[in-house]
Amino acid sequence: MSVLADNNLKQVNREVAEVFGLALTSRDNKWGEVFSEKTPTRKDEKTTIIKLDNSVTETTDGGAFTSNNIKELGDYTITQKIFKDKISLGDFAEEFDNYGKIKQAAMEKGSDYAYQMDALAVAFLNNPTSTTAPYGFIVDGSSTKTPLLYATQPIGDTGSTQNNIQTGGFTKANLNSAIVKLVQMKRHNGNIAGYNARRIVCTPTEAMAVWQVLNSVGEPETADRATNYINTLGIKPIVWDLLTTTTTSFLMGDKMVTPHLIYFIKLRPSMQSIRNQNTGNIEYQFKMMLQAGICDMQGIVGITA
């Protein structure tokens, strides 16, 4: 390879990497605002749903500690997915400045990989009533899976249930009812968790209605001057363009109370260039390894039509 060609190839590689990176970061992905990112240590990461006794034992001065047994109610496995693609640099593009199509293709690939990262996560909200793998989970010690949104969610293995669905569409009254459901939600041992509403995930179609209910200083859709109580709660709207359940919004606590919305990322979208030994041409290889999952419904209430 001539010095001129070598210098040109370095320039091509630099520009291809730049446009791939720019496209990758230019998409306004929402998974990071909803899911907690973790680094997997194995291909199949298993999370376990547990419960402890719901009592806190009072004792006397110098009294013994009361043993609390950990009971496993269910487990959920998140398996890594691998994505790999490549595009090739032709002979003319390597020798001359004919690499515009390669840059355009790398930009498209960056956008595609960013989109796929978001799509893997939002799929769990787009299928909130499904128990077909990878959706649904076991939280009651049985072998029966429960969907993310369900009118009779098991409260652990207590035999009691609770409803994490608010029907009637997105209105101020229904949002308030969903907030009450969230704060009164019971943990798997039967104790009230007291989750505070901090986020609401909605579609672009519902975004304006959500914003008006959350942010109106006065009562929305009225001419009076009463203060809007919802406005004082600091709930953050998250408008997710890939959310297709147009009649469902998701009211959530903060990430501290929803650690079961997990995104295991072993390898973020990356690009490398190699020379194909058969053709002699440069190949740009794109790869990522990751998968999301939801293994519990705690801290989540759906507002549906």
Side-chain angles (χ1 to χ4, degrees):
M1 181 187 297
S2 67
V3 174
L4 177 61
D6 184 53
N7 289 336
N8 191 62
L9 180 58
K10 290 179 181 178
Q11 177 68 18
V12 173
N13 287 343
R14 183 164 52 249
E15 292 187 23
V16 170
E18 285 178 357
V19 296
F20 173 74
L22 286 173
L24 193 63
T25 57
S26 63
R27 177 175 170 77
D28 186 19
N29 277 4
K30 299 300 182 182
W31 67 263
E33 298 182 56
V34 180
F35 286 72
S36 296
E37 179 181 346
K38 295 184 179 181
T39 302
T41 57
R42 54 188 65 85
K43 177 178 72 73
D44 299 306
E45 282 286 358
K46 181 177 289 187
T47 62
T48 304
I49 308 301
I50 67 166
K51 66 169 281 190
L52 294 174
D53 298 334
N54 63 358
S55 59
V56 177
T57 307
E58 181 180 357
T59 187
T60 59
D61 184 18
F65 288 93
T66 300
S67 177
N68 276 226
N69 295 321
I70 299 176
K71 184 171 184 179
E72 295 186 5
L73 299 176
D75 56 53
Y76 181 87
T77 300
I78 299 177
T79 300
Q80 291 286 285
K81 290 180 177 288
I82 303 173
F83 300 86
K84 298 167 68 175
D85 297 280
K86 68 179 181 179
I87 55 177
S88 298
L89 184 67
D91 296 309
F92 288 136
E94 186 173 336
E95 296 292 336
F96 304 103
D97 292 335
N98 299 340
Y99 53 90
K101 289 182 180 179
I102 295 295
K103 287 175 61 178
Q104 184 177 349
M107 181 177 294
E108 289 291 320
K109 196 53 63 180
S111 298
D112 291 343
Y113 270 60
Y115 174 92
Q116 186 62 41
M117 285 189 75
D118 232 17
L120 285 174
V122 78
F124 289 85
L125 300 187
N126 284 333
N127 295 275
T129 60
S130 175
T131 56
T132 301
Y135 313 116
F137 34 75
I138 298 173
V139 297
D140 61 356
S142 71
S143 58
T144 302
K145 290 170 61 174
T146 302
L148 177 61
L149 300 183
Y150 197 41
T152 54
Q153 291 280 1
I155 302 175
D157 60 353
T158 65
S160 299
T161 63
Q162 60 188 339
N163 183 4
N164 73 331
I165 301 176
Q166 177 60 46
T167 60
F170 192 89
T171 64
K172 182 200 166 190
N174 287 335
L175 175 58
N176 185 64
S177 296
I179 291 170
V180 173
K181 285 182 184 291
L182 191 63
V183 78
Q184 292 183 341
M185 183 174 287
K186 293 182 178 180
R187 304 202 327 265
H188 296 309
N189 63 7
N191 282 349
I192 293 177
Y195 298 130
N196 291 316
R198 290 291 179 262
R199 299 169 291 168
I200 184 161
V201 186
C202 67
T203 67
T205 304
E206 291 186 308
M208 185 170 72
V210 169
W211 190 95
Q212 289 174 341
V213 170
L214 293 181
N215 295 305
S216 297
V217 176
E219 286 292 323
E221 299 181 2
T222 68
D224 62 43
R225 297 183 179 182
T227 301
N228 180 13
Y229 161 73
I230 302 293
N231 179 251
T232 68
L233 301 181
I235 301 173
K236 177 183 178 181
I238 300 172
V239 182
W240 205 336
D241 58 327
L242 299 186
L243 192 63
T244 58
T245 55
T246 56
T247 58
T248 303
S249 298
F250 298 84
L251 185 68
M252 301 180 179
D254 59 30
K255 285 187 178 182
M256 290 295 293
V257 303
T258 59
H260 39 272
L261 278 71
I262 308 170
Y263 210 136
F264 279 119
I265 300 178
K266 184 62 176 178
L267 177 65
R268 286 179 171 275
S270 61
M271 188 200 81
Q272 66 173 356
S273 62
I274 67 164
R275 188 172 293 281
N276 187 300
Q277 297 302 311
N278 294 321
T279 65
N281 294 130
I282 294 296
E283 287 183 357
Y284 296 100
Q285 298 179 343
F286 308 91
K287 183 179 179 180
M288 66 181 179
M289 188 182 304
L290 35 72
Q291 175 60 314
I294 298 180
C295 58
D296 202 348
M297 47 66 67
Q298 289 287 306
I300 304 172
V301 173
I303 305 175
T304 68

